[in-house]
Amino acid sequence: MIGLYFTLVLISVAAIIAVESRNLLISIIAFGLAGIGFSLSYILLGSWDLAVIQLGIELFLLFYLIRSTRVVSEPETNAGRQLTAYLGTIVFIVTFLGFAYLVFRTLPAVNFSAAGGGLPSLYELVGVAAALFAAVIGALTILRPEGKQ
Amino acid sequence: MIIYIAAVLLMLIGLYGVAAKHNLIKVAIGLMIMQYSVDLFLIALAAHRLSGREWFSQLAAVLGLSTTVVLVAVIKRNYDRSGAIDITRLTKLKG
């Protein structure tokens, strides 16, 4: 239980660093740390299969983001636009918290180490394979050299 | 209950990254943090053996990977063409 709470704090701190850091490389590495923390929390919650999937996804995304990022420093932004963005964010957060409060009153208590699932069925595997295939085809299509005009 | 609160907190952090940051990489990271928080929420609910949530979170994780791969590909292609990673400088589609 303490380990899970420690992991959740670690994830939150890493997520804040990932969003707030001005160096993109630090952001990406902090995001990778948060993802590995998620994988650890899934293990502590008893969902081993999702933890393995999460770990694989996180490692792939970490390499992919580091490979794709060419600009390391964050660009300077207009102060007026930044103020508008902050105001919009506050509106979104207040709206989300209002709905979250309504949902929180109906949530059941968490039963630890009972979240493990069984083996996925064939349909689920086909769905996962189709999603990955579509992603690879989409990325290759976008990143291809200029084709015939 | 603390897991639910952590999921909401992470959702808010991701929302802040998506709504307040102008860097496209930060927006992608914010989206992924939001998606991970939803996965954590579903796993906390799946502890009750309610039908479908466990495998749905697996599918959601893979779908999140797929969307992020395509999103980063779009960001990279956009940077190659315009040289900008700031969303306020991408004005060619502005109406």
Side-chain angles (χ1 to χ4, degrees):
Chain A
M1 197 77 141
I2 300 279
L4 180 63
Y5 294 157
F6 178 76
T7 309
L8 291 176
V9 171
L10 173 75
I11 293 170
S12 302
V13 172
I16 290 173
I17 293 174
V19 171
E20 271 302 311
S21 173
R22 298 194 71 83
N23 189 320
L24 281 183
L25 205 54
I26 292 177
S27 288
I28 291 169
I29 292 171
F31 170 66
L33 181 63
I36 291 172
F38 272 107
S39 176
L40 192 59
S41 66
Y42 295 156
I43 291 175
L44 293 173
L45 280 169
S47 180
W48 290 83
D49 40 3
L50 185 60
V52 172
I53 292 175
Q54 171 71 28
L55 189 61
I57 286 174
E58 194 54 48
L59 290 178
F60 174 77
L61 267 184
L62 194 60
F63 286 119
Y64 185 63
L65 281 173
I66 289 175
R67 174 70 181 81
S68 302
T69 304
R70 295 181 182 179
V71 184
V72 174
S73 61
E74 191 168 279
E76 296 292 328
T77 52
N78 189 349
R81 286 176 183 268
Q82 194 64 43
L83 179 64
T84 309
Y86 282 140
L87 290 178
T89 306
I90 290 172
V91 170
F92 276 127
I93 285 177
V94 169
T95 308
F96 178 78
L97 281 180
F99 282 105
Y101 174 72
L102 294 177
V103 172
F104 257 52
R105 294 187 299 183
T106 63
L107 286 177
V110 177
N111 180 17
F112 288 94
S113 72
L119 289 175
S121 71
L122 181 62
Y123 291 120
E124 295 160 14
L125 287 177
V126 169
V128 167
L132 286 177
F133 180 74
V136 170
I137 294 296
L140 287 178
T141 306
I142 293 168
L143 292 175
R144 77 189 190 284
E146 293 296 328
K148 292 180 181 176
Q149 299 295 323
Chain B
M1 186 57 83
I2 290 183
I3 299 178
Y4 297 139
I5 294 173
V8 169
L9 177 67
L10 287 165
M11 174 67 88
L12 291 180
I13 293 171
L15 186 62
Y16 169 72
V18 170
K21 294 296 174 183
H22 292 171
N23 191 321
L24 282 170
I25 298 289
K26 292 277 184 71
V27 172
I29 288 175
L31 276 174
M32 284 304 290
I33 291 173
M34 288 172 77
Q35 194 247 318
Y36 287 167
S37 73
V38 172
D39 287 347
L40 183 66
F41 187 75
L42 286 174
I43 287 297
L45 284 180
H48 294 274
R49 300 257 179 207
L50 298 178
S51 61
R53 287 183 176 128
E54 168 75 12
W55 79 263
F56 180 75
S57 53
Q58 293 178 13
L59 186 60
V62 177
L63 283 177
L65 169 70
S66 307
T67 52
T68 306
V69 166
V70 176
L71 180 61
V72 174
V74 170
I75 292 170
K76 186 169 181 293
R77 172 60 96 185
N78 203 0
Y79 178 73
D80 289 341
R81 292 201 171 190
S82 65
I85 203 168
D86 186 353
I87 54 174
T88 60
R89 295 180 190 170
L90 305 176
T91 55
K92 285 190 177 177
L93 287 178
K94 198 171 182 180

